[in-house]
Amino acid sequence: MLLWVCCVLAGIGAFGLLMDIVTLVFGQGVDSGVAAAHHVLAAAGALLLATTARSVRRPPDATLVVASSAASRPVQLTACAGTVAFLPYAVMKLTWTSGGTFAGISGEEMLAISKRNDASGIWLTLESWGLDATVLLAALGVFLLWGLVRPWGLAFPRWTLWLRGRRVPRWLLLAPALIGAATLAPYGVFGVGYAALATAGVVTLGRGDFPSASDALLVAWIGLAAFAVYGVALIVATRSYWLRTRSILPE
């Protein structure tokens, strides 16, 4: 039990690792190298603690049993909710990259904001092509989500060519899923809570680069609700995948 408590604490210390990875992927530097190193070490510690905790409980003759079926219907419905939650977010972002106006800000103004915030060349190039980097990441996140609940997340499907039919290493999906769930779920859930308080007038939400506070609140609701629903769906799907590929005693 103590090992799992330490694992959770280490996982909390790794919060922000996903954002560090995203900024590096798109050619932007992290805000703090020391903080990024802390996130990596905390994540590695959480992984080692979880592995140790499982090895203590698992008998030496346990074998890995991989399920051949998809996740249960409720879990797949949860994955549907996590997918649909990103649709308003994608529409909002693609409206800006296509030159349209949303929440009082045009695509040109949003591009100028990105340049002012020192966005990387990769990020700006994608926007010039009418693509938004966060929408691409959301698409990858949805792909991961369905890999956790469908049979092709257990064995490589036919379209993977030479890999088809082989068992998918469980940590290939579990590693990004755990990092994503640990980051997006609390960020989205607590963010939605804050947005609700701002809507009720309990706290004040600054308007930032938007024409009014109501515009900023609208964008906040769309983004945070997407992260909250997807984050919770990712937790459910990850748990399902973990249990369906766990090590158990042979009969």
Side-chain angles (χ1 to χ4, degrees), residues 15 180-191 227-235:
F15 185 81
T183 302
L184 297 179
Y187 174 77
V189 171
F190 285 110
F227 293 138
V229 177
Y230 174 81
V232 172
L234 191 59
I235 290 176

Side-chain angles (χ1 to χ4, degrees), residues 92-114:
M92 176 181 70
K93 288 285 191 171
L94 294 178
T95 296
W96 283 326
T97 56
S98 63
T101 299
F102 185 86
I105 288 190
S106 66
E108 291 183 359
E109 290 173 315
M110 189 58 68
L111 181 60
I113 292 171
S114 297

Side-chain angles (χ1 to χ4, degrees), residues 142-185:
V142 170
F143 181 79
L144 170 64
L145 181 62
W146 284 100
L148 293 167
V149 301
R150 297 299 300 168
W152 53 266
L154 301 170
F156 287 104
R158 287 178 296 178
W159 49 265
T160 56
L161 302 179
W162 60 88
L163 290 175
R164 63 182 179 182
R166 297 185 181 181
R167 181 172 63 83
V168 177
R170 66 196 305 251
W171 282 105
L172 184 64
L173 273 67
L174 285 176
L178 289 171
I179 294 174
T183 302
L184 297 179

Side-chain angles (χ1 to χ4, degrees), residues 12-34:
I12 294 174
F15 185 81
L17 176 60
L18 179 62
M19 302 306 174
D20 294 335
I21 295 173
V22 170
T23 56
L24 291 174
V25 166
F26 288 101
Q28 296 180 232
V30 295
D31 294 333
S32 170
V34 174

Side-chain angles (χ1 to χ4, degrees), residues 4 53 62 71 79 83 86 89 108 111 121 132 139 146 172 195 209 211 227 251:
W4 285 114
T83 302
F86 268 129
Y89 180 83
E108 291 183 359
L111 181 60
D132 182 86
W146 284 100
L172 184 64
D209 295 308
F227 293 138
E251 297 181 356

